[in-house]
Amino acid sequence: SEAADRLGLMHYIEGMRLITVLELVAPTPNENVTVTNTEFNNVPVRLYLPRRPPDGLRRAMVYFHGGGWCLGDAGMKSYDHISQRISNELNAVVVSVNYRLAPEHRFPVPFEDAYSATKFFLQSKVLSQYRVHPARVCVAGDSAGGNLAAAVAQQLLEDPEVKTKLKAQILLYPALQALDLDLPSYRDNENKPLLPRSLTVRFWSEYFTSDPALREAMASNRHVPAESGHLLQLVNWSRLLPAEMRRAHVYGGPAFGSAALAQRYPGFLDPRASPLLASDARLQRLPPAYILTCEHDVLRDDGAMYAERLRAAGVPVTHHHAKDAFHGAMMFVLWPFELAVGHRLLGTYMGWLNDNL
């Protein structure tokens, strides 16, 4: 992808998307679950409905796939497999959202699509149509999808038109802030597989613009303007991370960057893109959270800091930290990319859902 981009043959992200295309599967119903592609408020979704009759009203999940806001699809094999399992084993309705992607559709479009589909589903008449209990609905997502799930959960609090309250939010190795890209987890896992620091920076910057000036500023951690410096306390890892994650790392804080750059691309300072920037007053109104972090992941500290801030705000949090796992590990549950750690993480996640949704 990088070579094709430099040669002008295709955009870097277009090359990366070939992975998505190779992994796509058609919506295929089975004896346990019906699977259909449809639209909720003009946003494409893949809908999973259990075939067995409900014992009362069903549970439901609105899911947002990962892929750095640029890649991914609800129809990728791993996402489809896990959605079918949740629908069947938990007798739950699963709405897996195909929000529009950057670079064609930059922030806030992916968030707006995720929010629009969720808000549509949460209408009383829609929940009734699918026989869903209004007090047993959660949002969930992995990586960039975890970012969207956290942002959607926050935004729902501010919407007077939404009467349904979420039962839970599930954030699987989420990306939650773009202010400090030199956390201990970024240092420890700079060149780890699947999501090295350079690719993380690329995804974050592409979410807002293809202007290399922002990407370069983010790469050197010099993109936050001095006038936004007060926000850094909300992502201060020296205060929010446990000692075992801080280790011997020394906190210096990002160097301040160009005010003009932040004025052109203000999205990274917006809580809808960086949910860790939410105030304590907003956090304390959020539903219980399940947060999965992986030791060998640049995004490890985002999830850990959010867990700490939510707990401090009085929100019940289950923080599952997998010391032997890497970014995306829970998707490795199908041959030929099948790993014991993937099955273990999925089992723990589904157990929590069964007990708490």
Side-chain angles (χ1 to χ4, degrees):
S1 297
E2 194 167 329
D5 187 47
R6 291 187 177 185
L7 292 170
L9 300 176
M10 65 172 66
H11 190 282
Y12 178 81
I13 299 301
E14 289 178 350
M16 294 284 287
R17 282 187 186 157
L18 294 174
I19 301 167
T20 302
V21 173
L22 293 171
E23 285 290 303
L24 284 181
V25 292
T28 307
N30 57 43
E31 67 273 15
N32 298 315
V33 179
T34 66
V35 185
T36 53
N37 286 341
T38 184
E39 291 188 352
F40 280 1
N41 205 22
N42 298 315
V43 178
V45 302
R46 185 166 285 199
L47 181 64
Y48 301 81
L49 301 174
R51 289 190 187 274
R52 60 183 156 134
D55 181 18
L57 296 177
R58 291 188 173 101
R59 304 182 263 203
M61 169 185 286
V62 182
Y63 193 86
F64 311 109
H65 67 77
W69 308 277
C70 298
L71 315 172
D73 192 284
M76 292 176 72
K77 289 176 189 173
S78 293
Y79 290 123
D80 184 72
H81 170 78
I82 292 171
S83 294
Q84 289 205 35
R85 279 195 58 182
I86 290 172
S87 182
N88 178 42
E89 295 178 31
L90 302 183
N91 202 17
V93 174
V94 178
V95 179
S96 194
V97 181
N98 266 328
Y99 52 92
R100 285 173 288 177
L101 301 173
E104 295 86 356
H105 305 283
R106 301 193 189 281
F107 176 81
V109 173
F111 164 79
E112 289 173 343
D113 281 359
Y115 189 78
S116 178
T118 306
K119 183 174 177 178
F120 177 90
F121 183 65
L122 291 178
Q123 295 176 97
S124 295
K125 62 182 181 182
V126 179
L127 295 176
S128 297
Q129 177 185 344
Y130 295 111
R131 303 196 67 184
V132 169
H133 196 301
R136 302 186 76 182
V137 183
C138 71
V139 291
D142 66 291
S143 195
N147 168 283
L148 294 172
V152 165
Q154 289 185 11
Q155 191 69 22
L156 287 169
L157 301 173
E158 315 300 329
D159 194 333
E161 295 178 359
V162 179
K163 307 303 180 188
T164 305
K165 303 295 184 187
L166 294 176
K167 179 75 179 290
Q169 53 179 325
I170 293 95
L171 315 178
L172 308 173
Y173 26 81
L176 295 169
Q177 61 85 33
L179 270 72
D180 190 350
L181 305 182
D182 189 36
L183 307 176
S185 57
Y186 276 82
R187 301 174 191 174
D188 293 341
N189 302 293
E190 182 173 7
N191 297 305
K192 291 287 173 69
L194 294 190
L195 192 65
R197 182 180 186 272
S198 58
L199 182 56
T200 309
V201 169
R202 183 74 187 239
F203 281 148
W204 267 122
S205 61
E206 289 287 353
Y207 194 23
F208 308 115
T209 176
S210 282
D211 185 346
L214 180 62
R215 185 164 70 249
E216 290 162 9
M218 284 183 157
S220 61
N221 213 34
R222 295 172 177 268
H223 54 291
V224 178
E227 52 267 38
S228 299
H230 63 284
L231 296 174
L232 293 174
Q233 64 181 328
L234 301 174
V235 297
N236 183 337
W237 59 262
S238 69
R239 183 173 60 87
L240 294 171
L241 286 181
E244 62 267 24
M245 290 186 183
R246 293 196 307 269
R247 297 194 182 96
H249 293 290
V250 176
Y251 182 77
F256 291 128
S258 162
L261 195 62
Q263 286 167 1
R264 284 203 302 278
Y265 314 115
F268 67 87
L269 299 171
D270 190 319
R272 295 173 301 167
S274 293
L276 258 166
L277 300 186
S279 67
D280 291 339
R282 178 185 265 199
L283 293 183
Q284 65 189 16
R285 297 158 56 206
L286 286 168
Y290 178 89
I291 300 176
L292 169 64
T293 56
C294 299
E295 180 66 26
H296 307 290
D297 181 6
V298 291
L299 299 182
R300 177 193 71 204
D301 295 350
D302 281 24
M305 290 195 297
Y306 202 49
E308 175 58 28
R309 287 201 60 208
L310 287 172
R311 280 199 196 99
V315 177
V317 177
T318 300
H319 177 199
H320 176 200
H321 181 61
K323 293 187 176 181
D324 60 344
F326 52 89
H327 189 78
M330 206 180 79
M331 298 298 119
F332 287 75
V333 290
L334 291 175
W335 186 90
F337 305 111
E338 191 172 5
L339 296 173
V341 66
H343 286 288
R344 191 186 80 237
L345 296 180
L346 179 58
T348 303
Y349 162 54
M350 291 186 65
W352 188 92
L353 285 172
N354 192 46
D355 293 341
N356 292 278
L357 182 57

